[in-house]
Amino acid sequence: VTGYVPDKLYSWRYLTKLSIDRNFSLILANTSLENAAWGRNSQLSELVCEDGIYHDNDEELYRDLKSKGLSASGDDKNFTFLYLHGSHTPIVLGEDCTPVKNATVESQTTGAFKIVFEYLEQLKKLGVYDNSTIVITADHGYAISDTDDYFKVANSGITACMFVKPRGAKNEKLLTSSKEISITNLVPSIVQDAGLKTDFNYGKSVFDIKEDEHVRRTLYQSVYSSDRRLCLNEYEIYGNAKDLSNWKFVQRLESDYSWY
């Protein structure tokens, strides 16, 4: 005997089969396993309603707005909530609100504002713009991280702007303000400006907060733990939110829910 020539194909087939045989029970178990947390992320039922489930699609919204337009009922107490995908990922839209391959945050943001401008113009054509309370805002500013505490990764505070047009306001010029407001001031602003009568105290509206008034606000940062459970870091802000020194960590709220 002067040497050996291995049968590579047979060896590969043998080792592959051996590996599958030894791991089959584990593969089968993982395939059939259903974790209770998965049910929270799965569609376990179907909502039956006249207009179907709403999925944000800025392109489709703009197309329908241009083709179908807006209509107004005779009632002067109408409430419309319009949710835009806006500057959020995935970045897919161009400035004309149509899909493009080389879309950027800037082009998609411009496209989102194109929808807003078209909507406002149609409100004016219907003659309901002047008598309308209009609020345009974001649900949050730029989220730097979903895994780290905000103080570890940020150099400045996270902010989002809010645009409010009271009813009856003259369309003359844009006024800017540095009032310390948050989303909690949105509902009371609408209730107050619409002249709604209610016994429930919704808190201060943006119109009631003074320019130099310091207001304590709360921000919840959604983060996930090492085992991918949803947690919330609670921060209190007192002063200009852009200045991180005005932030204070309050507590970490942990849940048993899986990361969404």
Side-chain angles (χ1 to χ4, degrees), residues 75-78 120 123 127-136 163-172 186 188-197 205-207:
D75 189 357
D76 63 348
K77 293 290 189 294
N78 289 283
L120 296 180
L123 288 179
V128 297
Y129 177 87
D130 292 342
N131 195 42
S132 296
T133 302
I134 301 173
V135 180
I136 303 173
F163 169 87
V164 180
K165 186 206 80 69
R167 64 172 177 165
K170 300 299 181 182
N171 187 22
E172 294 175 347
L186 192 155
S189 300
I190 296 174
V191 170
Q192 177 181 327
D193 200 50
L196 303 178
K197 304 300 181 182
S205 74
V206 296
F207 312 111

Side-chain angles (χ1 to χ4, degrees), residues 56 58 85-94 100 103-105 107-109:
D56 60 285
D58 288 10
H85 197 77
S87 307
H88 205 287
T89 54
I91 305 300
V92 295
L93 293 183
V100 293
T104 63
V105 174
S107 70
Q108 184 155 300
T109 303

Side-chain angles (χ1 to χ4, degrees), residues 155-159 178 217 237 239-247:
N155 297 318
S156 62
I158 183 173
T159 60
S178 297
R217 291 94 74 209
I237 306 167
N240 191 327
K242 293 182 179 179
D243 187 350
L244 204 57
S245 64
N246 292 327
W247 289 46

Side-chain angles (χ1 to χ4, degrees), residues 4 12 22 28 38-39 58 62 69 79 81 86 89 94 99 101 103 124 126 135 137 153 160 169 181 187 201 206 246:
Y4 296 90
W12 177 82
R22 291 188 173 183
L28 182 62
W38 293 350
D58 288 10
Y62 181 68
F79 177 81
F81 179 83
T89 54
K101 292 183 179 179
K124 294 175 183 178
L126 286 171
V135 180
T137 188
V153 295
I181 62 174
V187 171
N201 181 13
V206 296
N246 292 327

